[in-house]
Amino acid sequence: MDNSDFRQRSMFAETWKRLKKNRGAMIGLVIVIILFLLAIFAGVIFDYDTDVIGQNYNELLQEPSWKHPFGTDEMGRDLLARIIYGSRASLFISFAAVCLAAVVGCFFGAISGYFGGRIDSVIMRITDMFLAIPETLFAITLVAALGTGTFTLIIALAISNIPIFCRLLRSSVMTQRGSEHIEAARAIGAKTSTIIWDHILPNCIAPVLVQFTLSIAVTILTISGLSFLGLGVSPPKPEWGALLSSSRSYMREHTYLTIFPGLAIMTTILSLNLLGDGLRDALDPRLR
Amino acid sequence: MSEEKSYALEIEDLNVEYHVDREVVHALNGISFRLAKGETIGLVGETGAGKTTTGLSILRLIPSPPGVVKGTVKVRGEDISTLSEKQMEAIRGNVVSMIFQDPMTSLNPTKTVEYQIAEVIRLHEKCGKKEAAAKAGDMLEMVGIPRDRGREFPHQFSGGMKQRVVIAMALACSPEILIADEPTTALDVTIQAQVLDMIRELKRKYKMSMIMITHDLGIVAEICDTVAIVYAGRIVEYGTLEDIFNHTAHPYTAGLFGSLPNMEDRTQRLKPIPGLMPDPTNLPEGCAFSPRCPNASEKCRTQCPALTRVEGEHFVACHLFKEE
Amino acid sequence: MLRKPGALFPSAAGRKRRAGTRSLFQNGSQVEIGSENVLKYIGKRLLAMIPVVLGVTLIVYCIMSLAPGDPARTILGEQATEEQVQALRDEMGLNDPLLVQYVRYVWKLLHGDFGTSYSSRIDVSKEIWSRFPNTIKLALVASLVSVIFALPLGIVAAVKQNTFFDSASMFFAIIGISCPTFWFGLILILVFAVHLKWFPVSGQVDTLKGIILPAVTLGFNSMAAMARVTRSSMLEVIRQDYIRTARAKGVSNRNVILQHAVPNAMIPTVTVIGLRIGGLLAGAVICETVFAWPGIGRLLVQSIMSRNTPVVLGCIIIFSICFSLVNLIVDILYAFIDPRIKSQYQ
């Protein structure tokens, strides 16, 4: 056990070392951390009631200036404040959804991959069905049935992410199961739960971590898409997609209203993708 | 002049380096040998000694950027570094061809076996698709595969069969020089003998010169005329089969023989060579074998020995030998 | 290596096939034999698709039945009496168990009947089928655009690995997958429709000019993703032994790439292309809204807003069936590209 613990630690150290060499991934990581800090401490910088949802008819649709670096919207609200608060919605919902999906998906995936047989085929048929509905469409379905709301969104996005994690874990458990160190553990009489927890799961962390990062990115995109359609986070709560949606009427004269929220989404997704790519390369140096 | 012409292949001070991640891998460090027409030379050494790299250099297939090749390789007296890519393509598979180590991965999984053999023929002998396919069928039969199996894909063949296909492919244009890179390593023992027999038979039939790359001294004894023992990208001993087997001069060669089980005295213990091959990014200053050599002296650790003549065509690169 | 069952199995399969091949050789070309097997393969895949589609409709149907509000009440309006509402509920079969309703729905669906729209009382099928071709048109043009640009981009980037072209195109690609569809569409409208006036602001179904911006918007994301996968699978393939074998045979550089590397690199790429084209269908919902494109995506959004459940249900089911069909086509393509798959089904 000590030995495997040592191997784990050295694997992470090794991965970190390679990740540090990847400039793109490091830029991504830094931006992601900054975004998180901004989202967490948004309340310190801006006051929600006055800056974010408070209307100010003296400063309608102002171009970017020192006072309002990103300008103001049709109700005189500071766009920067709304974008920063908007990150809260995107990050919270996507994290909650993907975490939920990862836990549930990995659980079923591990069962499916380890036990195989009938359990496996039942679980796989169900995931097939869920995979046959594209993520955005599934979320739209749930939202159409249950109405908009943060909770509905989390559930919808979580469910549509479960099959990906389930498949992922299943296939890595299946490769693990056949490998020699598992055979060895079984040969010395280790319990099934011990084998799964101590020998199989640690080796599955890498692909799950990569998928987690990439799933967060896709989910943020989906959330903003839904909000753009008016099916996500509802106004006056700020959300990036919703900001873009309301900017459409002023797009011609007030381009900045369209550009900044879009840039915010793109920067976030870009840095998550860079980080995810970097992680994947660092974990699997063969693919460099 | 006339002497030079009788060689199919001349390699002079061949150096290959790979520049990866600010490190330099010294794969070959000054290899020289000549191969007479119809002769077979064995390149013997451990994994990573640079045997495959030598083979690839002869085809000018060292991937560069990472690879840097210095020295000259002359095929039929012509320095290949002066040839254009087009001229080189005309040599590959036609004048010089190579059998690669792992038949499992050496065939393209999406093409039929017949296509893959016919492709070489089409490229080098100006003939139509049908003619090439017919000739590919002949080649398959020659290596003992029914010709109608040519329409199948590599995954439908067993390992030994695939190696036969690879051999058929390499011989399709009757090359003058055949480089066989561990042609039997990936195969079962029983199939190894078959494949080896076939290679020897075909070599005699086509009067080819051959480079047999292997780590198996048994194969060398069966097939080769001359032997070059390669260690860490250098030839450490070179000579006829007789020289190497009966008048072993280099301690590494002796070590190789010591690692073989003795058929006469089965109770005798094996004498493995201690240690590992040196890291090719960080070769020792002196003789590359000195860290593992039982008789290494101070001189061995600081000075790299040159190949010196023992007697006739028998050469060795070892300080100990001179001192004797 | 040899002892792996996987290595032994194909040879057994090969023997079986050889017997078949020989008998077929006598009566003509091998193409016929191949197509017979492919038909069998397609049949198997089609059969396997049925439970998936049924499952999808069941999931969607159940979720949609959770929608609050009483359809009968919606149709009759607030003034109707409770008796009238109950009568209509009975007539519509809304009082039956959910599963019965579902079976009835599927039965009608098999006859091309999607039910009746609540708001307009028009046949939902008519509404859907009149808009369906527009969505298909958009999706087809978008997939075409993305594949045509993605494959060469990925292949050239891989061949010229670590050059400026490689980094530039991969930067472009990562921007592409990070860029929200609707934002990209808005920017395109701003630049090419509002400022340069090259294209109309909203999409036009019947003109080439009118479809370019929506198709590029919809395809951009997929193109980027496909280019990335093409590049990485090309890189993987290029270092394979059989590529070296091909070079050693004297095959020219160009042909090594085109004839040996690309077909193999296409195997993983096709999967992603399929997934992406499926994802494109979902993207159509957003893209159609941005460009006011009269397809089922826009219909879906409008119907959700007006709480017109039968139309929503119909649209989502149509999308899911299309998605499954795309996956089926990919599976079939797969068998054509990868001979190893085909022989599994013989």
Side-chain angles (χ1 to χ4, degrees), chain A residues 15-283:
Chain A
T15 308
W16 174 240
K17 227 172 89 189
R18 279 197 291 262
L19 192 66
K20 270 202 294 196
K21 275 190 194 161
N22 185 334
R23 213 188 315 148
M26 287 324 278
I27 294 173
L29 184 65
V30 169
I31 296 178
V32 169
I33 291 173
I34 291 175
L35 278 170
F36 263 93
L37 292 178
L38 276 179
I40 292 166
F41 295 109
V44 181
I45 318 169
F46 299 102
D47 183 63
Y48 187 71
D49 290 325
T50 55
D51 294 325
V52 182
I53 53 169
Q55 301 171 358
N56 184 352
Y57 292 101
N58 300 324
E59 296 183 321
L60 298 185
L61 293 167
Q62 291 199 348
E63 296 284 321
S65 63
W66 280 113
K67 194 176 170 206
H68 302 290
F70 286 5
T72 61
D73 69 1
E74 72 277 8
M75 296 197 185
R77 298 173 293 205
D78 183 62
L79 191 59
L80 178 65
R82 285 181 68 77
I83 286 177
I84 288 179
Y85 264 92
S87 69
R88 278 190 164 182
S90 298
L91 291 178
F92 171 69
I93 296 174
S94 60
F95 256 84
V98 178
C99 283
L100 195 61
V103 170
V104 178
C106 289
F107 176 73
F108 284 108
I111 289 180
S112 188
Y114 189 81
F115 293 105
R118 193 170 293 170
I119 303 178
D120 177 42
S121 51
V122 168
I123 293 179
M124 279 304 110
R125 289 301 83 75
I126 295 173
T127 54
D128 275 349
M129 284 167 199
F130 279 95
L131 279 175
I133 315 174
E135 187 179 4
T136 313
L137 220 53
F138 188 81
I140 288 178
T141 314
L142 259 184
V143 170
L146 304 178
T148 56
T150 310
F151 184 69
T152 321
L153 266 182
I154 293 177
I155 294 298
L157 295 168
I159 294 178
S160 45
N161 270 302
I162 289 174
I164 306 172
F165 284 100
C166 191
R167 281 272 176 102
L168 186 71
L169 212 75
R170 173 180 177 262
S171 65
S172 53
V173 166
M174 279 174 82
T175 31
Q176 290 290 320
R177 196 181 53 167
S179 68
E180 269 140 31
H181 74 278
I182 301 300
E183 301 263 307
R186 209 174 287 145
I188 59 168
K191 275 188 297 183
T192 303
S193 59
T194 317
I195 291 177
I196 294 183
W197 275 107
D198 290 353
H199 298 280
I200 294 184
L201 287 185
N203 289 305
C204 301
I205 288 176
V208 170
L209 203 61
V210 173
Q211 185 57 46
F212 190 87
T213 321
L214 299 178
S215 275
I216 295 267
V218 174
T219 307
I220 291 179
L221 272 182
T222 310
I223 295 169
S224 64
L226 288 174
S227 302
F228 179 77
L229 295 175
L231 302 173
V233 178
S234 33
K237 240 188 186 174
E239 201 282 340
W240 294 334
L243 291 180
L244 276 171
S245 176
S246 60
S247 82
R248 287 186 71 187
S249 334
Y250 311 93
M251 197 169 82
R252 283 161 193 265
E253 285 77 30
H254 305 281
T255 324
Y256 63 92
L257 279 179
T258 305
I259 290 180
F260 289 122
L263 276 181
I265 303 177
M266 207 179 77
T267 316
T268 311
I269 309 299
L270 185 67
S271 43
L272 280 167
N273 280 330
L274 283 171
L275 181 62
D277 279 3
L279 266 180
R280 190 183 47 209
D281 293 349
L283 290 165

Side-chain angles (χ1 to χ4, degrees), chain B residues 83-151:
Chain B
L83 299 180
S84 71
E85 192 55 31
K86 259 226 141 63
Q87 288 169 310
M88 208 52 226
E89 279 161 18
I91 286 182
R92 291 183 196 133
N94 190 21
V95 181
V96 184
S97 60
M98 186 156 174
I99 299 171
F100 288 101
Q101 185 169 3
D102 190 352
M104 303 300 174
T105 55
S106 295
L107 292 172
N108 189 331
T110 58
K111 300 266 189 272
T112 62
V113 163
E114 186 185 271
Y115 175 94
Q116 298 189 50
I117 301 175
E119 188 177 30
V120 209
I121 302 167
R122 254 187 313 124
L123 284 168
H124 299 298
E125 290 168 21
K126 290 182 183 84
C127 66
K129 270 196 173 169
K130 268 199 177 151
E131 217 178 309
K135 210 177 162 206
D138 297 342
M139 291 310 293
L140 276 177
E141 281 187 339
M142 190 188 74
V143 293
I145 296 174
R147 65 165 57 219
D148 60 340
R149 289 206 67 184
R151 290 174 190 254

